[in-house]
Amino acid sequence: MSSPSSPVRPTALVTGATSGIGWETARLLAEQGSTVIVHAPDLTSGQQAVTRLVAAGVAASQLDLAVADFSRLEEVRAMAAKVADTHPVLDVLVNNAAVAAPERHTMTPDGNEIAFQVNFLAAFLLTRELTGPLTARPGSRVVNVSSSMHRTASIAWNDLNRSRRYSRLAAYAQSQLALTIFARAGAGSDAGCTSVSVHPGICDTALLPLYAHEGDSSAEGAARVVRLCDPATELVPGAYYDRTAVSPAAPVAMEDRTVRRLCKVADQLVGRAG
């Protein structure tokens, strides 16, 4: 039985934790003593990720597996319900899951362009659905793993799915801009939950071809994410971080009107799928 003075083990959920920055983030958070909920798009890749974490020295008792295909919003909603039931207190949510927009325009079963849904709408829905656990204990954090490419983007308000003029780079950048804007909306900030976004650097992950031919290691990128999860790191609410420093986000991401508009549209889109 724990004594009142025993330290509380924090709980963190990392999405897209089967590889790359997500897996390394899960490993680092576990090494620092957190219970880590490892999100995977399917059971097989999730079990493999957990097995690799245990092989890397993480105690199995520190790990929990959560499965949801983010191209299906009903699975996101179901996963959130299970997480909230099993972990009524959540200290950290790392919205890391992302896909590169395909060469050909691709829609999800929910009727959204796939990069916009997987990279933004799923994170939006998951964060909203986990407001209870995220506000159960003061000091909780939501870290959106974004990209410097958000600065090249615009929100195509009249064609969010980019059906009329599709470009994979524009679709991906739009999803990262939306995720960056969403960090400014907060997640129950009045109850002590702080949201930020971060560009972890150009890293050698599956998304590297969108940026360059070489980059930092996934572990280096993950260390920059984990730093923002650490209670010892003072955060600027709603800020955008480039690696380890607060950096100016795209001007449109700083507009309160745009934040409200995006959240209203996202509420409509995830509600439609509910």
Side-chain angles (χ1 to χ4, degrees):
M1 181 179 295
S2 299
S3 67
S5 59
S6 299
V8 175
R9 173 180 283 184
T11 300
L13 166 58
V14 182
T15 71
T18 58
S19 63
I21 289 174
W23 187 88
E24 293 287 358
T25 296
R27 179 182 64 82
L28 291 172
L29 286 171
E31 284 183 354
Q32 293 179 3
S34 293
T35 294
V36 180
I37 306 164
V38 177
H39 160 255
D42 58 81
L43 185 60
T44 299
S45 65
Q47 291 174 333
Q48 291 172 345
V50 168
T51 297
R52 288 169 52 223
L53 287 166
V54 172
V58 176
S61 60
Q62 284 181 256
L63 302 172
D64 193 7
L65 180 60
V67 176
D69 177 352
F70 279 11
S71 70
R72 297 178 179 274
L73 291 175
E74 71 271 15
E75 292 194 21
V76 179
R77 194 173 272 109
M79 185 187 96
K82 288 182 179 179
V83 168
D85 184 56
T86 309
H87 302 277
V89 177
L90 189 61
D91 299 281
V92 174
L93 169 59
V94 180
N95 285 317
N96 166 76
V99 295
E103 292 286 353
R104 306 185 78 171
H105 187 260
T106 304
M107 299 286 282
T108 69
D110 298 303
N112 304 300
E113 189 275 318
I114 191 166
F116 192 71
Q117 177 165 321
V118 173
N119 301 355
F120 165 61
L121 287 177
F124 176 89
L125 176 59
L126 183 64
T127 305
R128 289 287 196 249
E129 293 288 300
L130 290 174
T131 296
L134 282 168
T135 56
R137 184 157 53 211
S140 58
R141 300 175 174 214
V142 176
V143 179
N144 291 344
V145 181
S146 180
S147 162
S148 59
M149 284 182 70
H150 89 273
R151 292 197 180 102
T152 71
S154 62
I155 304 292
W157 297 108
N158 297 320
D159 185 22
L160 285 172
N161 291 327
R162 297 186 174 264
S163 303
R164 293 192 289 271
R165 190 178 179 183
Y166 180 74
S167 154
R168 69 184 302 236
L169 286 177
Y172 176 77
Q174 174 181 257
S175 72
Q176 298 306 298
L177 174 58
L179 193 62
T180 303
I181 293 170
F182 178 46
R184 290 202 61 236
S189 56
D190 57 335
C193 182
T194 302
S195 297
V196 297
S197 59
V198 59
H199 168 56
I202 297 173
C203 298
D204 190 5
T205 70
L207 297 177
L208 179 63
L210 290 174
Y211 297 90
H213 295 297
E214 58 184 30
D216 296 338
S217 69
S218 296
E220 288 174 291
R224 296 160 187 153
V225 174
V226 171
R227 175 181 171 274
L228 301 179
C229 301
D230 187 346
T233 301
E234 187 173 344
L235 295 182
V236 178
Y240 167 73
Y241 289 77
D242 190 329
R243 298 173 180 84
T244 59
V246 174
S247 180
V252 68
M254 305 307 293
E255 298 172 357
D256 291 340
R257 178 184 61 180
T258 300
V259 175
R260 291 192 298 268
R261 184 178 186 184
L262 179 67
C263 289
K264 182 177 180 180
V265 169
D267 269 327
Q268 293 170 346
L269 292 174
V270 300
R272 183 189 69 195

